[in-house]
Amino acid sequence: MSGIVIHLPEGGRGPQAGPDAGPVTLRLGPGEVARFGRGSATCPVELRLVDAAISRLAGEIRVTDDHWQLSNHSATQSYLVENPEGAGEYLRVPPRRAGAPIPFEFARVVLPTRSGSAVAFQVFAPDHVYLDPDRAGGPRDSHTLMAYSLDETAIYFLVLVALCEPRLRDESPLAVPTTPEIVARLGGHPGCSGLTSRAVSSHIDYLAEEKMRLTTLTERQEQGRGARRNGKREAIVSVALRFGLVREEHLALLPPRGATGAREERAAAR
């Protein structure tokens, strides 16, 4: 595992954090640790969470060679680690539990509060790798690992298929769907009923930066935030189609399209 990405979204610190508490994104490599809690001058933390029910040092995240661990430093309260892309799976990390291994590729860590609103942050573990399906069995070091490790049951893969759909259907050799178009296209999928534009943008960033490692390329070639976003989408689609990561059979993962067709669907999304 090359590392993980921790994202504390805007508003994720708690209602007492104040209007100037912006989002935080951390990248940790093997052996590195990020601490979370209310923090103080004598107890600094990388992720500051503001609620009277959260300890000064509530816990820590540690990255190992092949997974990440969560330690709960609270003496009284359990924390939840949810799998947002699963069927309601979650882990409960009890008080004083040290080094609980977390198996989810994408996780949401939730801490209880007195205010009733969730204090939570997200953890992406991009290097959950998958063995070549043609080389099952035998010593692990004799296997060939997939160059692009993608989970075809994940939401980010649905976003990838939606990005590639127009070119797979020969509807447009150039256009790549916008974020609102992807939200509209996936709206009929049972796992995407609450999908937002911000979530789609996060999945696109995750694909480019962690799964396909395209960040440096697209940021060097494009100028300005909007241009970077468009260049990132195009680079994702180009790699996915050139290497066969998304193929025509994957279109069956998308919800059926309405009778109005792709052009009308896109017009409605705008």
Side-chain angles (χ1 to χ4, degrees):
M1 175 180 276
S2 64
I4 65 172
V5 177
I6 304 173
H7 179 63
L8 177 63
E10 185 173 359
R13 298 174 186 267
Q16 304 171 21
D20 58 341
V24 175
T25 300
L26 303 175
R27 297 175 184 272
L28 303 181
E32 294 185 317
V33 175
R35 294 169 296 180
F36 58 90
R38 292 203 338 267
S40 68
T42 58
C43 183
V45 294
E46 287 71 31
L47 296 172
R48 184 169 177 266
L49 309 174
V50 184
D51 190 273
I54 297 176
S55 305
R56 296 288 184 186
L57 180 57
E60 67 177 33
I61 289 172
R62 181 180 298 273
V63 184
T64 70
D65 289 337
D66 57 4
H67 66 282
W68 61 278
Q69 301 172 342
L70 177 67
S71 294
N72 180 354
H73 291 172
S74 172
T76 58
Q77 303 192 100
S78 296
Y79 303 154
L80 294 183
V81 183
E82 301 173 339
N83 178 9
E85 298 188 336
E89 298 97 338
Y90 69 90
L91 297 175
R92 181 184 295 108
V93 182
R96 302 181 302 280
R97 175 66 161 94
I102 307 301
F104 306 137
E105 183 173 8
F106 175 33
R108 182 172 181 259
V109 180
V110 184
L111 280 68
T113 67
R114 290 180 62 86
S115 62
S117 59
V119 170
F121 55 87
Q122 301 158 349
V123 181
F124 298 83
D127 281 348
H128 282 195
V129 296
Y130 295 85
L131 297 174
D132 186 329
D134 296 328
R135 294 289 303 276
R140 178 173 178 175
D141 58 6
S142 70
H143 291 182
T144 300
L145 300 180
M146 305 295 285
Y148 298 105
S149 179
L150 301 175
D151 180 359
E152 296 185 5
T153 66
I155 300 292
Y156 69 74
F157 191 79
L158 286 174
V159 171
L160 178 60
V161 176
L163 282 170
C164 297
E165 182 181 29
R167 295 189 188 180
L168 285 172
R169 296 189 188 276
D170 294 326
E171 292 173 350
S172 172
L174 299 176
V176 176
T178 65
T179 294
E181 290 169 352
I182 294 174
V183 172
R185 181 67 184 93
L186 298 179
H189 192 282
C192 300
S193 58
L195 192 67
T196 64
S197 295
R198 179 176 295 181
V200 168
S201 295
S202 295
H203 284 301
I204 290 172
D205 289 342
Y206 181 54
L207 284 164
E209 297 169 12
E210 306 300 336
K211 286 299 184 180
M212 298 183 181
R213 301 173 294 281
L214 303 175
T215 307
T216 303
L217 172 65
T218 56
E219 289 188 355
R220 184 171 63 244
Q221 290 179 337
E222 307 293 343
Q223 299 296 321
R225 183 174 181 179
R228 283 202 304 271
R229 180 75 66 186
N230 291 335
K232 190 177 293 185
R233 291 179 211 273
E234 292 167 2
I236 288 171
V237 171
S238 176
V239 169
L241 296 181
R242 286 173 61 194
F243 288 96
L245 307 179
V246 177
R247 302 176 297 279
E248 287 188 15
E249 58 261 34
H250 290 128
L251 293 175
L253 298 173
L254 300 176
R257 298 200 296 181
T260 54
R263 183 174 300 176
E264 289 78 6
E265 181 181 67
R266 292 188 176 190
R270 295 191 184 96

